[in-house]
Amino acid sequence: MALPVKLIDSFAGQNWLITPAALALNEAPPADVHAQKWLLTLSGVAYADVEGNSDGSWRRETLLLEPTVIDPMHYAIAHHSIPEPPGSEGAQYSLAFEVEQLAPFASISSVFDAHESIDAGFAVDSWRPNHWGSGIDVFTHQYAGTLFSGLKVDVAVRDGDAWLYRVGYNIALLGKIVFLTAQKTLFQSNFDPTPVGEPPSPTQEIGSAKVEGPPRSVIVVNPPAPPSDKWVQISRPNGPEIATLDCLLTETPGPGLYMFSAEIFLSETSGTASISFETTAGEEFLHVDFLPNNQARVDDVGAEFGSLPRPGAFIVQVALDIQLSQSTATVVLTGSASGAQNVTIQPALQHLAPQFGAVRIWQGFPNVGEFKATNISVTRSPY
């Protein structure tokens, strides 16, 4: 069962250091300053304030630490005269740090136990990067993934009057400063208001949802893995029908740079799980399959690629560059999965791509065996 996640954005102190990464003797220099690699170190102490609630068992939580990465990037941009895009940050573009390598660490920094200590305990059990962000690079119009969004730290406290007050951290990052195009969110899932066992609500956080298939083939379930939000489960029983969750965008704005993202959980018995990109009329122009052999495939015709965990959760991100004459897609698997594939929308289906208005998450004949999804989103950036 996934642990509760507590956002930590209050710190007793934060420190950072950023400097250009040195080149090896045989390494070519970057083509321009936007391709420069940087060493970024973040350290500090975060206020955790996790209180034990039992003398006989551990209270466990996941802390999501969000130390500043904007301040060191602003320093590097000013100190090294890095050209910025036209417009203003926050309106026309945003900043992010695209990670190539990282070495995080977290530890107990301050604890307290009032009155008599009865088998008290304090622990920092593990840590890992938060789910990577993604976006579109302003200068290259290319997909930018593995964007740093924080550090998750699993902690535990035992004893009813014990407190884990503070957690220390040190995060070493190697990567690039990227300028991202401003994005408008066209769909964002939120299954939390829906009772477990019920179909997803037609009203989502942004956009709407529609369920098709046999009864109880698409329902909301408790989380099988982090994050702690509810998930949607899709399972097709034997029979002629398919089971689908249609994610309907708020609008169909036409050509642009789109980013789809979702977290998928495959069990050991999951059959092929599919994600289709469609018009509002349900006409498909691209789809991705997650196969029983733990690989992915695009449009049934491309080479199989990647490596998927089973059982386990992973993130799939699809960057769509939709144009009137020719459209392309980049499929990236991250988290516990790995792999990427670049494809061109098939010429016979190209006329449908500018009408992009829905994402279908589904399982079709003859596949059976449930899979799950959460944090489903679609954003768009204009050219």
Side-chain angles (χ1 to χ4, degrees):
M1 180 64 66
L3 300 180
V5 177
K6 180 179 181 180
L7 174 63
I8 306 297
D9 54 8
S10 180
F11 297 86
Q14 296 191 68
N15 310 283
W16 51 261
L17 180 150
I18 188 167
T19 188
L23 296 173
L25 290 176
N26 61 346
E27 188 175 3
D32 58 43
V33 70
H34 295 118
Q36 172 69 51
K37 293 182 182 180
W38 303 85
L39 290 171
L40 172 58
T41 300
L42 309 171
S43 65
V45 176
Y47 290 112
D49 293 335
V50 180
E51 182 183 14
N53 56 13
S54 172
D55 294 338
S57 62
W58 291 85
R59 176 186 176 183
R60 301 184 184 275
E61 279 194 358
T62 295
L63 308 180
L64 172 54
L65 277 58
E66 294 186 343
T68 180
V69 292
I70 293 296
D71 291 347
M73 289 193 293
H74 282 163
Y75 169 83
I77 290 168
H79 188 73
H80 296 277
S81 301
I82 301 175
E84 299 177 76
S88 59
E89 182 182 342
Q92 282 72 40
Y93 68 89
S94 61
L95 277 175
F97 195 82
E98 187 174 26
V99 177
E100 182 177 314
Q101 296 182 48
L102 80 163
F105 175 78
S107 65
I108 294 171
S109 184
S110 174
V111 300
F112 175 73
D113 191 358
H115 309 300
E116 181 181 0
S117 175
I118 303 175
D119 297 328
F122 308 89
V124 169
D125 292 322
S126 63
W127 52 83
R128 59 201 175 278
N130 190 34
H131 302 300
W132 300 117
S134 61
I136 303 295
D137 190 294
V138 168
F139 294 104
T140 65
H141 284 183
Q142 299 298 308
Y143 167 84
T146 62
L147 305 180
F148 181 76
S149 65
L151 183 71
K152 282 187 172 178
V153 183
D154 294 335
V155 300
V157 182
R158 176 170 167 154
D159 198 355
D161 52 11
W163 286 82
L164 173 57
Y165 274 138
R166 301 181 186 181
V167 170
Y169 65 90
N170 187 289
I171 309 167
L173 305 167
L174 172 66
K176 297 177 183 178
I177 297 171
V178 291
F179 298 86
L180 304 175
T181 58
Q183 297 179 336
K184 180 178 182 180
T185 301
L186 303 179
F187 182 87
Q188 179 64 59
S189 65
N190 182 8
F191 305 122
D192 284 349
T194 302
V196 169
E198 295 296 320
S201 169
T203 302
Q204 293 296 299
E205 184 171 328
I206 299 175
S208 57
K210 183 175 67 173
V211 169
E212 298 180 68
R216 297 190 56 78
S217 61
V218 181
I219 58 172
V220 170
V221 296
N222 286 318
S228 59
D229 301 332
K230 292 178 183 176
W231 294 52
V232 63
Q233 175 178 285
I234 300 170
S235 58
R236 193 197 72 83
N238 283 319
E241 298 179 271
I242 65 173
T244 72
L245 171 68
D246 293 329
C247 305
L248 307 178
L249 311 189
T250 56
E251 56 183 295
T252 306
L257 301 167
Y258 293 82
M259 179 65 67
F260 165 84
S261 181
E263 186 163 3
I264 304 295
F265 183 92
L266 299 176
S267 70
E268 292 178 335
T269 58
S270 296
T272 298
S274 300
I275 299 175
S276 293
F277 298 84
E278 304 179 344
T279 70
T280 54
E283 298 171 290
E284 178 191 285
F285 61 88
L286 177 77
H287 78 265
V288 181
D289 292 326
F290 305 111
L291 306 172
N293 65 358
N294 298 334
Q295 290 190 298
R297 181 183 60 202
V298 178
D299 284 344
D300 298 334
V301 294
E304 296 176 6
F305 68 97
S307 176
L308 306 173
R310 194 185 294 263
F314 64 94
I315 298 170
V316 55
Q317 295 167 325
V318 181
L320 295 161
D321 184 353
I322 294 181
Q323 303 184 38
L324 291 175
S325 58
Q326 185 181 75
S327 302
T328 60
T330 299
V331 182
V332 179
L333 309 175
T334 60
S336 298
S338 62
Q341 185 81 282
N342 297 313
V343 297
T344 299
I345 303 302
Q346 298 179 44
L349 302 175
Q350 165 58 37
H351 69 286
L352 299 174
Q355 304 173 52
F356 177 39
V359 176
R360 173 169 292 197
I361 303 176
W362 60 286
Q363 188 171 67
F365 181 84
N367 298 289
V368 294
E370 80 286 347
F371 71 97
K372 301 173 179 67
T374 195
N375 284 344
I376 306 163
S377 67
V378 178
T379 61
R380 177 183 179 270
S381 305
Y383 284 108

